Amino acid sequence: MHYTVCKELNSVILSVSSQINFVCLISRQGKVRLTKWYSTYSQKERSKAIRELSGVILSRGPKLCNFVDWKGHKVVYKRYASLYFCICIDEEDNELEALEVIHHFVEILDRYFGSVCELDLIFNFHKAYYILDELLIAGELQESSKRTIAKLISAQDNLVEVAKEEASSLSNIIAQATK
Amino acid sequence: MNPFSSGTRLRDMIRAIRACKTAAEERAVVRKECAAIRAAINENDQDYRHRNLAKLMFIHMLGYPTHFGQMECLKLIASPGFPEKRIGYLGLMLLLDERQEVLMLVTNSVKQDLNHTNQYIVGLALCALGNICSAEMARDLAPEVERLLQFRDPNIRKKAALCSIRIIKKVPDLAENFINPVAALLKEKHHGVLITGVQLCTDLCKVSPEALEYFRKKCTDGLVRTLRDLVNSPYAPEYDIAGITDPFLHIRLLKLLRVLGRGDADASDSMNDILAQVATKTESNKNAGNAILYECVETIMSIEDNGGLRVLAINILGRFLSNRDNNIRYVALNMLMRAITVDAQAVQRHRATILECVKDSDASIRKRALELVYLLVNESNVKPLTKELVDYLEVSDQDFKGDLTAKVCSIIEKFSPEKSWYIDQMLKVLTEAGNFVKDEVWHALVVVISNASDLHGYTVRALFRALQTTAEQESLVRVAVWCIGEYGDLLVSNAGMLNVEDPITVTESDAVDIVESAIKRHASDLTTKSMALIALLKLSSRFPSCSGRIKDIVVQHKGSLVLELQQRSLEFNSIIEKHQNIRSALVERMPVLDEATFGGRRASSLPNTVSTSSGTAVKLPNGVAKPSAAPLVDLLDLSDDVPAPSSSGGDFLQDLLGVNLPPATQSEGTNQTPKAGTDVLLDLLSIGSTPAQDNNLSTPDILSSGQDNKPIIASLDLLAAPSNMMDLLDGLGPAPPKPAENGPAYPSIVAFESSSLRLTFNFSKQPGNPQTTMISGSFTNLSSNLFTDFVFQAAVPKFLQLHLDPASGNSLPASGNGTITQSLKVTNSQHGKKPLVMRLRIAYKVDGKDVLEEGQINNFPRDL
């Protein structure tokens, strides 16, 4: 079901179509490890959503299905070790595919960090975000090849390394010159 | 140099925070870090800017305010180096959202980056734009993004494609610019580009009918070919998941084919073969394969009818339903709910399995299954289905009982074939889950009982028996107490015995006992206690031998701290003591409650009137009602959260019962006039005390002291003539709605009405085009405040197409001093088969505060 909107005098038809509304990683203790919002939520709504969802999801038993209904949306979650990966999708979206997206993300993280664990994601949270940004944009899947994503991330990491080296050699030169 | 500016490293800060044992400690560490970062910001420190921003992001994730860092993101984005830009864009996406004005400041930097020579910087800008751009930015930067759709590197093309999705969602009138570049993307080989291109194409089709028409003509065959190549492709390690090459691409292609095939027989025809191939050849032992099958089934169900394919699809769902994996069963239930509009028979075949799912241990599955069962009920299967559900009520989880009870009650009311069955089932529900039964449901039951004169004896005996076994269910107690009060004589005399009944011996004192226990029960609330008091008064007249005992019980409440009980206790005591001569007339059996009136009053808050009611065509005064029987799955989820207009029906009954609750619990009547009417009645029955309205009556306080007997007798004459009472009642029903004017073929309706807003629809049709209805909506502000930023949104199920024209304005003057008008065009592809339905959402601001109203319109004229 799509809402049609007409705003003011511009003839605007906006159809809120299916997409990922947000992604979040919650630890077994209910700590947030990553959140990415693709639909507009105020800061208040964000913390409320996380609070409610961690309440529901963390209390679900292990053998149950990986979906919970939440405010007209569906949240697909999967537990990997101590972390719950959650994706909020729309009513008409494919839940099974959302599970594959989660697994895809986990495999890429795993490949990047070398058997990823929660601590990796805590201390290198920005890296996890960079990877997610290569996987999803605007709540849509961007790339189905893990290898391509790995390549893109390492190319960008290299750019950062090169810049760092340049900066340090520059400061060495300055230090030498001012000695 | 500022001593703070170097600060700690990111890693050290995270460690320090993790080492905190209490929340207070954590706050202290964060406060210190934030102070250092603020100081660095004030110093305009450049060296550690990116590190500070990284720290802020971590702090933000912990839930602390970080708005002071927003400008730092912009500075980093504006700096030349890649590392700074990378962290800057990340911060922008994390710390800001599209509503912040700061975002506008970044437009220029983003524009430059979109034209940067370094493709990774272009990628960063595209990603940020795709995730958080506002409508204004979308307009400003759309030409850049459009150009990047043809960029040499495929990784930029795919990012630009997704970014375009955001842009057309924000500004749909930009859609046509993207049609041509997207057609090129659909021919790509690179999977990333193809996936994103297909996705963009799907979204374009959703916002623009022209795009849909274009792609349907030009691209359907190509997309079918792409899907065929993909399905038949040899092993490709890079994209392989569980033996399937790129399930993500599979799913997106199927989704796009669905959009193209829906409502177009030719397009549907051209994809039949490949859909059949996907449905039969896809491995279903892994999640990825099932995801594809699931999508394929949905596509088959949505495109134009092909009998063979549908059978295939329903079979897949049947297999899913019997799968042991909970996920698969969940999606099967979901899908069956959508399939029910297409092929109800096929879904009915799985009824037994679905019913088992209602009893599953998994709450998500239970909920879905219950919704599905609700849709499956019809006249022929209502009895066995209800029996199963009622039996399950007994053992179900506490937190599921509420949902289950509501659905069971709704099924019983909607489909009950005869009154005795209805009463039997309701009694079972009351016994098992009376605490979950909503007030309007047991009110309806009382009305039905009151009308079923041949079942009075049977019902009161059954209730007596039920109450003996369990007194824990509040609404059971209420209904039982009411019936014992009204029909206590039948209980004792065993009159009107049915064949199915076991004889039961109840003495007069047993009947009084059970009412007494209800009034003394600790858990009983005011309503129950009040009802019990009235029942006792009635019994005192029906069983004169118990009169003395009843008086003692009544007197006990004369010291009650609850004013209502205290007053009643005094009044009733005086009736029993001093007015024996009029008592029997005073507490005569209540006149039969008029079902039509009650049903009509109730219809505004409940989906279905009791089926046993005479079925007067009740037009809702307010179109916002819970969804009716229409099997529109999408609409159903609304039923739980519609702010139902307060149950005026309940009020009515409460007044009749004379239960006058304190204002806090009294539901707000929407119909003022009828209410005043019932007040008169209630005062005549002398069982309520609403001092404020007593002046309506010429004989005030007839009961309070009884010093003057004449007026009492006078008013009791009225009581003795129940037919007069009925006339009074008859006058209460909502007047049958008269079409406003006979000029147009369709009467206008009040589509939505709340305390502050009214929306009326006028209909017209163009000759020769019966499927399309032109609706002109007009909004009136009923409140005394100006509404600004007024936006009206509407949603329709898939068989309808909706087009909204711009509104005549966006501010609505107070108190009806002006209207906003807006035209809608609805095309009903199932014209003549299904009526129009629409959900609406109206947003506006009052004094700068956002207000959102939602509702559903079910009262469209049937033949639109």
Side-chain angles (χ1 to χ4, degrees):
Chain A
M1 167 140 300
H2 310 295
Y3 269 96
T4 315
V5 187
C6 189
K7 264 190 190 168
E8 294 153 33
L9 293 171
N10 315 319
S11 177
V12 173
I13 300 170
L14 204 153
S15 152
V16 181
S17 71
S18 56
Q19 63 163 56
I20 295 173
N21 296 299
F22 60 83
V23 175
C24 64
L25 268 63
I26 304 172
S27 78
R28 221 172 33 175
Q29 289 78 33
K31 294 251 187 226
V32 180
R33 296 304 178 208
L34 178 147
T35 53
K36 188 94 184 172
W37 307 86
Y38 296 104
S39 301
T40 316
Y41 293 86
S42 71
Q43 218 43 256
K44 224 178 181 177
E45 290 167 334
R46 292 182 184 187
S47 30
K48 189 159 171 258
I50 297 287
R51 211 173 39 242
E52 288 181 5
L53 280 178
S54 43
V56 176
I57 290 173
L58 300 186
S59 63
R60 277 175 69 85
K63 289 262 170 67
L64 306 182
C65 71
N66 296 77
F67 319 123
V68 289
D69 293 326
W70 182 75
K71 298 196 168 162
H73 297 296
K74 285 179 293 201
V75 175
V76 176
Y77 69 94
K78 187 151 192 201
R79 185 178 161 179
Y80 288 87
S82 60
L83 273 185
Y84 287 85
F85 287 68
C86 313
I87 290 190
C88 173
I89 56 175
D90 282 337
E91 192 60 32
E92 64 262 42
D93 281 339
N94 189 327
E95 301 91 343
L96 300 178
E97 192 216 1
L99 275 178
E100 285 301 318
V101 172
I102 291 177
H103 191 69
H104 195 51
F105 182 39
V106 173
E107 284 193 322
I108 298 165
L109 288 173
D110 210 47
R111 198 182 274 210
Y112 182 81
F113 288 105
S115 67
V116 65
C117 68
E118 192 181 340
L119 277 183
D120 289 324
L121 299 182
I122 294 172
F123 284 102
N124 294 299
F125 68 94
H126 49 298
K127 301 273 174 67
Y129 278 107
Y130 293 145
I131 292 173
L132 186 59
D133 282 342
E134 290 297 335
L135 183 71
L136 300 173
I137 288 182
E140 304 287 358
L141 188 78
Q142 181 186 167
E143 180 58 68
S144 52
S145 157
K146 297 187 265 286
R147 206 180 67 191
T148 308
I149 292 180
K151 254 177 17 202
L152 288 170
I153 290 288
S154 74
Q156 295 178 74
D157 284 352
N158 278 338
L159 276 181
V160 174
E161 286 307 314
V162 169
K164 259 193 202 161
E165 271 168 31
E166 272 175 16
S168 66
S169 65
L170 200 66
S171 58
N172 274 344
I173 294 169
I174 295 170
Q176 296 266 318
T178 52
K179 211 179 245 175
Chain B
M1 205 179 202
N2 186 308
F4 289 112
S5 63
S6 59
T8 46
R9 293 189 304 155
L10 173 64
R11 182 166 283 268
D12 296 332
M13 183 195 80
I14 296 176
R15 256 194 213 118
I17 289 175
R18 280 174 56 77
C20 293
K21 295 215 166 49
T22 63
E25 261 181 73
E26 183 184 289
R27 277 198 295 276
V29 173
V30 170
R31 205 180 305 128
K32 207 171 125 217
E33 284 291 346
C34 284
I37 294 169
R38 275 172 195 272
I41 291 173
N42 289 338
E43 297 270 313
N44 204 11
D45 177 294
Q46 308 232 339
D47 301 341
Y48 294 101
R49 187 172 273 153
H50 61 285
R51 182 204 276 176
N52 285 339
L53 186 58
K55 283 184 188 172
L56 270 184
M57 285 189 253
F58 191 83
I59 291 169
H60 177 85
M61 219 163 24
L62 297 174
Y64 295 92
T66 50
H67 48 274
F68 57 89
Q70 291 175 352
M71 288 305 288
E72 295 300 281
C73 301
L74 307 198
K75 288 180 189 161
L76 282 166
I77 290 171
S79 59
F82 178 79
E84 288 80 17
K85 280 187 189 290
R86 195 186 196 193
I87 198 102
Y89 275 117
L90 184 58
L92 187 78
M93 288 184 281
L94 271 181
L95 305 186
L96 278 81
D97 67 61
E98 59 168 299
R99 282 173 302 197
Q100 264 131 355
E101 311 220 324
V102 185
L103 199 60
M104 284 307 288
L105 302 175
V106 87
T107 310
N108 231 350
S109 306
V110 174
K111 188 168 192 163
Q112 278 170 14
D113 287 345
L114 289 176
N115 292 304
H116 207 280
T117 49
N118 182 333
Q119 66 166 86
Y120 293 108
I121 290 178
V122 178
L124 289 178
L126 278 174
C127 177
L129 199 58
N131 284 343
I132 62 162
C133 86
S134 59
E136 289 84 357
M137 287 176 85
R139 272 184 205 287
D140 289 345
L141 300 172
E144 258 69 29
V145 176
E146 203 188 309
R147 187 177 48 76
L148 289 170
L149 284 174
Q150 281 133 32
F151 197 81
R152 64 192 137 73
D153 187 297
N155 293 314
I156 296 302
R157 291 204 293 276
K158 72 186 187 196
K159 285 189 163 69
L162 293 185
C163 197
S164 310
I165 292 180
R166 172 101 184 181
I167 289 174
I168 59 164
K169 275 184 187 169
K170 292 285 162 199
V171 192
D173 46 1
L174 290 174
E176 56 189 271
N177 303 355
F178 289 94
I179 294 177
N180 280 320
V182 172
L185 294 186
L186 295 181
K187 297 186 183 105
E188 297 247 5
K189 289 277 174 280
H190 186 282
H191 279 221
V193 181
L194 202 47
I195 280 186
T196 54
V198 168
Q199 190 63 50
L200 173 55
C201 188
T202 312
D203 282 294
L204 277 172
C205 291
K206 281 180 184 164
V207 297
S208 149
E210 296 87 52
L212 174 60
E213 215 33 59
Y214 177 87
F215 290 121
R216 190 180 271 157
K217 285 230 168 60
K218 303 267 177 188
C219 302
T220 307
D221 291 333
L223 287 164
V224 168
R225 220 163 24 242
T226 312
L227 182 56
R228 184 177 303 126
D229 292 345
L230 183 66
V231 172
N232 297 323
S233 76
Y235 177 69
E238 188 168 357
Y239 298 105
D240 187 81
I241 295 178
I244 298 167
T245 305
D246 206 342
F248 298 112
L249 184 54
H250 269 91
I251 287 168
R252 268 162 197 73
L253 283 167
L254 286 168
K255 217 178 251 172
L256 178 53
L257 288 180
R258 173 156 83 237
V259 173
L260 297 178
R262 189 182 294 148
D264 188 292
D266 290 341
S268 300
D269 224 34
S270 63
M271 57 189 76
N272 278 342
D273 287 350
I274 186 64
L275 291 178
Q277 195 189 343
V278 173
T280 46
K281 294 253 174 79
T282 310
E283 282 287 338
S284 64
N285 50 5
K286 288 274 169 50
N287 182 58
N290 284 325
I292 293 174
L293 283 174
Y294 180 40
E295 201 67 45
C296 186
V297 168
E298 174 132 35
T299 299
I300 291 173
M301 291 294 182
S302 303
I303 65 170
E304 291 309 294
D305 196 10
N306 174 311
L309 272 183
R310 293 232 160 125
V311 171
L312 207 58
I314 295 277
N315 286 345
I316 292 176
L317 289 182
R319 250 175 23 230
F320 273 21
L321 200 58
S322 52
N323 201 302
R324 281 171 57 205
D325 184 339
N326 281 338
N327 288 342
I328 306 295
R329 281 194 298 148
Y330 177 93
V331 299
L333 290 169
N334 227 344
M335 196 61 236
L336 284 169
M337 227 179 322
R338 288 176 224 175
I340 206 166
T341 44
V342 176
D343 190 351
Q345 267 331 95
V347 182
Q348 289 284 3
R349 279 201 292 278
H350 298 292
R351 205 168 57 221
T353 326
I354 296 165
L355 208 51
E356 282 311 300
C357 292
V358 175
K359 305 170 186 173
D360 201 90
S361 59
D362 187 333
S364 295
I365 290 185
R366 276 200 308 257
K367 189 158 172 267
R368 289 281 141 170
L370 183 60
E371 279 165 13
L372 187 51
V373 165
Y374 184 70
L375 295 179
L376 284 177
V377 180
N378 57 30
E379 276 79 8
S380 61
N381 62 23
V382 60
K383 286 191 174 179
L385 272 178
T386 309
K387 182 175 184 313
E388 285 276 350
L389 293 177
V390 170
D391 287 349
Y392 180 58
L393 254 184
E394 197 177 339
V395 291
S396 67
D397 274 4
Q398 283 301 316
D399 48 356
F400 188 52
K401 268 199 175 127
D403 279 351
L404 187 57
T405 308
K407 284 280 194 291
V408 172
C409 290
S410 177
I411 290 171
I412 295 174
E413 293 188 344
K414 200 159 91 184
F415 293 103
S416 102
E418 67 254 2
K419 280 187 183 179
S420 63
W421 185 84
Y422 172 87
I423 291 173
D424 276 346
Q425 300 308 312
M426 285 309 297
L427 293 197
K428 280 189 204 161
V429 174
L430 286 176
T431 314
E432 288 307 335
N435 288 334
F436 296 93
V437 172
K438 297 236 166 45
D439 280 352
E440 55 263 30
V441 172
W442 70 260
H443 291 172
L445 174 62
V446 166
V447 174
V448 172
I449 293 175
S450 134
N451 276 282
S453 53
D454 49 332
L455 296 171
H456 284 167
Y458 167 73
T459 310
V460 69
R461 287 187 290 273
L463 278 163
F464 182 83
R465 248 173 283 194
L467 201 56
Q468 273 184 322
T469 44
T470 168
E472 301 307 309
Q473 309 290 350
E474 195 79 42
S475 51
L476 173 70
V477 177
R478 289 181 190 172
V479 176
V481 160
W482 186 86
C483 285
I484 293 172
E486 291 295 318
Y487 315 118
D489 44 336
L490 305 177
L491 175 63
V492 177
S493 69
N494 266 333
M497 201 71 173
L498 299 187
N499 299 334
V500 291
E501 252 180 296
D502 296 328
I504 176 175
T505 328
V506 185
T507 65
E508 297 184 349
S509 116
D510 288 341
V512 177
D513 279 347
I514 207 150
V515 180
E516 183 185 7
S517 65
I519 206 170
K520 293 212 165 127
R521 199 170 66 102
H522 214 63
S524 294
D525 66 2
L526 175 57
T527 309
T528 313
K529 286 186 175 167
S530 310
M531 292 177 74
L533 264 186
I534 296 168
L536 283 172
L537 178 66
K538 295 207 164 186
L539 289 182
S540 79
S541 153
R542 315 243 195 288
F543 310 147
S545 64
C546 294
S547 189
R549 209 184 127 207
I550 290 174
K551 181 173 157 282
D552 293 342
I553 304 170
V554 171
V555 164
Q556 284 168 11
H557 285 85
K558 88 182 174 193
S560 169
L561 290 177
V562 183
L563 184 62
E564 178 66 27
L565 291 180
Q566 190 191 88
Q567 183 168 357
R568 259 178 221 211
S569 154
L570 289 169
E571 288 168 354
F572 293 176
N573 186 32
S574 123
I575 293 174
I576 298 172
E577 232 170 34
K578 301 184 191 153
H579 303 289
Q580 302 268 349
N581 49 338
I582 57 158
R583 185 178 59 190
S584 61
L586 201 56
V587 299
E588 260 187 6
R589 218 170 263 176
M590 205 179 245
V592 172
L593 300 165
D594 185 34
E595 284 174 307
T597 309
F598 180 71
R601 302 273 236 93
R602 196 167 163 248
S604 60
S605 61
L606 260 192
N608 317 298
T609 51
V610 183
S611 71
T612 43
S613 77
S614 51
T616 29
V618 181
K619 283 271 188 171
L620 313 188
N622 183 342
V624 180
K626 290 196 181 179
S628 64
L632 288 168
V633 184
D634 310 25
L635 295 176
L636 268 176
D637 61 318
L638 197 72
S639 60
D640 294 324
D641 46 33
V642 172
S646 59
S647 56
S648 46
D651 242 15
F652 159 68
L653 190 66
Q654 297 240 309
D655 289 350
L656 272 184
L657 289 171
V659 183
N660 189 18
L661 297 172
T665 50
Q666 193 164 29
S667 52
E668 182 195 335
T670 45
N671 292 335
Q672 284 307 319
T673 349
K675 189 161 188 284
T678 40
D679 281 335
V680 175
L681 182 64
L682 122 96
D683 286 354
L684 284 175
L685 287 169
S686 313
I687 42 171
S689 49
T690 42
Q693 278 143 346
D694 269 353
N695 37 9
N696 289 346
L697 204 65
S698 53
T699 54
D701 288 339
I702 43 172
L703 288 171
S704 56
S705 61
Q707 282 169 347
D708 184 357
N709 270 351
K710 278 184 183 169
I712 303 175
I713 306 298
S715 62
L716 286 171
D717 286 342
L718 272 177
L719 266 180
S723 60
N724 286 350
M725 311 291 281
M726 287 315 295
D727 290 345
L728 268 177
L729 261 177
D730 284 345
L732 301 182
K738 294 183 185 94
E741 48 188 311
N742 292 330
Y746 301 99
S748 40
I749 59 166
V750 176
F752 176 82
E753 182 158 28
S754 69
S755 57
S756 51
L757 186 71
R758 183 194 300 136
L759 163 62
T760 46
F761 276 173
N762 287 306
F763 306 100
S764 61
K765 277 191 193 287
Q766 289 160 332
N769 190 1
Q771 291 201 340
T772 304
T773 310
M774 315 295 293
I775 303 175
S776 126
S778 118
F779 299 86
T780 314
N781 181 349
L782 305 176
S783 77
S784 51
N785 301 310
L786 174 73
F787 296 167
T788 55
D789 297 330
F790 192 93
V791 179
F792 167 64
Q793 296 169 277
V796 291
K798 283 168 185 161
F799 68 86
L800 298 176
Q801 268 195 338
L802 175 65
H803 177 83
L804 276 180
D805 284 337
S808 62
N810 66 347
S811 68
L812 192 53
S815 323
N817 285 328
T819 51
I820 292 181
T821 54
Q822 187 161 20
S823 334
L824 299 82
K825 191 167 81 179
V826 183
T827 307
N828 186 352
S829 64
Q830 307 264 10
H831 176 72
K833 284 183 236 159
K834 289 185 188 170
L836 298 188
V837 278
M838 190 178 285
R839 267 205 264 177
L840 49 88
R841 185 189 277 167
I842 299 163
Y844 53 84
K845 286 189 178 168
V846 181
D847 288 332
K849 271 193 209 140
D850 288 318
V851 183
L852 184 70
E853 303 206 47
E854 293 184 287
Q856 175 163 341
I857 312 175
N858 285 339
N859 60 339
F860 280 107
R862 281 208 61 81
D863 42 357
L864 285 181

